[in-house]
Amino acid sequence: MSKIYSKINGTGSYLPDKILTNYDLEKLVDTTHEWIYERTGIVQRHIASDNESSVDMAYSSSLEALKKSNISVDQIDMIVVATTTPERKFPSSAVLLQNKLKIEKGFAFDVNAACTGFVYAIDIADKYIKSGLVKNALVVGTEKITSLLDWKDRNTCVLFGDGAGTVVLSASDQAGILSNTIGSNGSYKDLLTVNTDPEYIEMKGNDVFKIAVNTMGKLAVSTLKENNMNIDQVDWLIPHQANSRIINAIAKKISLPNDKVIMTVDKHGNTSAASIPLALDDANKRGVLRSNHIIMFEAFGAGFTWGSTLLKF
Ligand code: UT7
């Protein structure tokens, strides 16, 4: 029997209509467009409306990914949704999405690994597909992360945005996902967290920044080494989009030219678990990703959690 690979079959994304620019934020908190842009690379972010949930966004991005992949809903046997902002505590967002898509078979569950969630979700779906148990999986990152913001806290409210991205991952006899590495260390739990009552994001930005650069930099180097690849073989780095300075530092660490880095933080802000699938779909829609291109995902988030994926598109 030939080896089973899992391969990206189609991508989709959704961004809410409402756009909040840095200039809009100047009216809310003591900040400036210049400060936000120079420190983060962010220019604008999308904000979900009151009646729009992370599941609604996941539904829109999933319909698009299904359409692009020529896979029908009844061929989906697994749904993994990476989110930290589920519509309900339970049922999971994945089950709510399954229901919206009118799927009544297979299984669906959520993954919470904060901003690394999508890479965790890919890792899990990849293993199910390679084991032969699943043929087609919907892998989603979706966040209404602005629902966790204190709009009076300039340290956090300027950084985040909402959105969703979906990938249809399918069994294939052609190489797709080449490797995944995921990790976590809860001793950093208080550097980036959501407080209770009220539920607001709190972050020691500077500490997170340094550890993010270090961790993703090392991870990118070890991913290449484990796959016996040199940097010239990598076509695209699609990192978690939290801060352009973090992204540039990772690219520098692996000597990857900036024109091989997908950067969407300027348009989307930090959309947590949605950031990598949103950036992937953005690049795909721009037509820059070719079949067999080598793509590297690098992610880092609260926990801390981290993850790296190397794949053939
Ligand atoms: O997604 C998961 C992972 N998350 C991340 O990777 C985020 C990592 N952290 C960062 O991206 C950066 O640390 C930030 C963008 C959050 C902050 O940038 P920084 O260069 O680390 O600035 P800082 O926290 O050291 O703050 C510098 C100054 C402070 O003033 P003082 O104490 O030096 O007088 C802040 O109060 O900037 C001030 N400041 C602001 N000023 C204008 C903080 N936020 C703002 C703001 N506008 N919005």
Side-chain angles (χ1 to χ4, degrees), residues 8-278:
I8 292 181
N9 203 337
T11 67
S13 65
Y14 174 81
L15 289 159
D17 290 339
K18 185 179 171 190
I19 290 176
L20 194 71
T21 65
N22 293 347
Y23 296 106
D24 295 327
L25 281 162
E26 287 182 356
K27 293 171 202 142
L28 292 179
V29 283
D30 180 17
T31 192
T32 58
H33 164 76
E34 288 70 25
W35 190 96
I36 301 170
Y37 183 64
E38 276 162 26
R39 299 287 179 126
T40 70
I42 300 168
V43 174
Q44 61 166 54
R45 68 289 289 143
H46 292 252
I47 312 283
S49 63
D50 288 345
N51 57 7
E52 194 168 38
S53 76
S54 56
V55 175
D56 297 326
M57 293 190 279
Y59 177 65
S60 300
S61 64
S62 298
L63 284 183
E64 189 179 54
L66 282 161
K67 203 168 160 194
K68 295 274 166 63
S69 65
N70 284 320
I71 294 281
S72 64
V73 279
D74 42 275
Q75 290 173 278
I76 296 294
D77 20 47
M78 173 182 193
I79 301 177
V80 195
V81 172
T83 190
T84 59
T85 46
E87 184 181 303
R88 305 182 188 182
K89 283 215 163 37
F90 61 78
S92 69
S93 299
V95 168
L96 298 177
L97 174 62
Q98 184 190 32
N99 178 249
K100 260 183 179 295
L101 290 167
K102 299 191 171 59
I103 301 174
E104 294 185 358
K105 68 175 182 79
F107 57 95
F109 60 90
D110 287 4
V111 167
N112 179 344
C115 299
T116 316
F118 183 74
V119 171
Y120 272 57
I122 286 280
D123 181 46
I124 298 164
D126 174 54
K127 288 184 165 69
Y128 269 98
I129 289 171
K130 283 181 178 155
S131 75
L133 288 168
V134 163
K135 284 218 160 35
N136 298 295
L138 276 183
V139 187
V140 187
T142 185
E143 297 282 12
K144 190 175 178 175
I145 198 87
T146 60
S147 64
L148 299 176
L149 293 179
D150 176 358
W151 289 104
K152 292 189 197 75
D153 177 13
R154 70 175 184 172
N155 289 298
T156 52
C157 77
V158 304
L159 303 174
F160 295 93
D162 300 326
T166 299
V167 154
V168 177
L169 203 63
S170 298
S172 170
D173 53 6
Q174 307 290 313
I177 306 282
L178 303 173
S179 79
N180 283 303
T181 308
I182 57 172
S184 63
N185 182 348
S187 60
Y188 298 103
K189 62 187 185 300
D190 297 322
L191 292 185
L192 175 51
T193 189
V194 176
N195 286 325
T196 47
D197 201 19
E199 281 195 322
Y200 287 147
I201 293 177
E202 200 181 88
M203 174 164 71
K204 305 259 184 315
N206 212 273
D207 296 331
V208 177
F209 186 99
K210 286 179 210 147
I211 303 170
V213 168
N214 237 319
T215 307
M216 282 189 283
K218 278 192 198 145
L219 202 52
V221 171
S222 63
T223 296
L224 289 175
K225 204 170 162 203
E226 277 160 27
N227 287 278
N228 289 318
M229 272 198 191
N230 64 54
I231 195 62
D232 303 333
Q233 292 168 275
V234 175
D235 294 290
W236 300 106
L237 172 67
I238 307 189
H240 171 48
Q241 308 281 321
N243 186 318
S244 59
R245 289 188 295 138
I246 296 179
I247 294 171
N248 290 335
I250 305 165
K252 197 169 167 205
K253 177 103 179 171
I254 53 174
S255 307
L256 187 74
N258 280 345
D259 60 0
K260 289 188 166 189
V261 180
I262 302 297
M263 188 85 83
T264 49
V265 69
D266 54 333
K267 297 186 287 189
H268 302 163
N270 181 349
T271 57
S272 184
S275 91
I276 290 179
L278 270 168

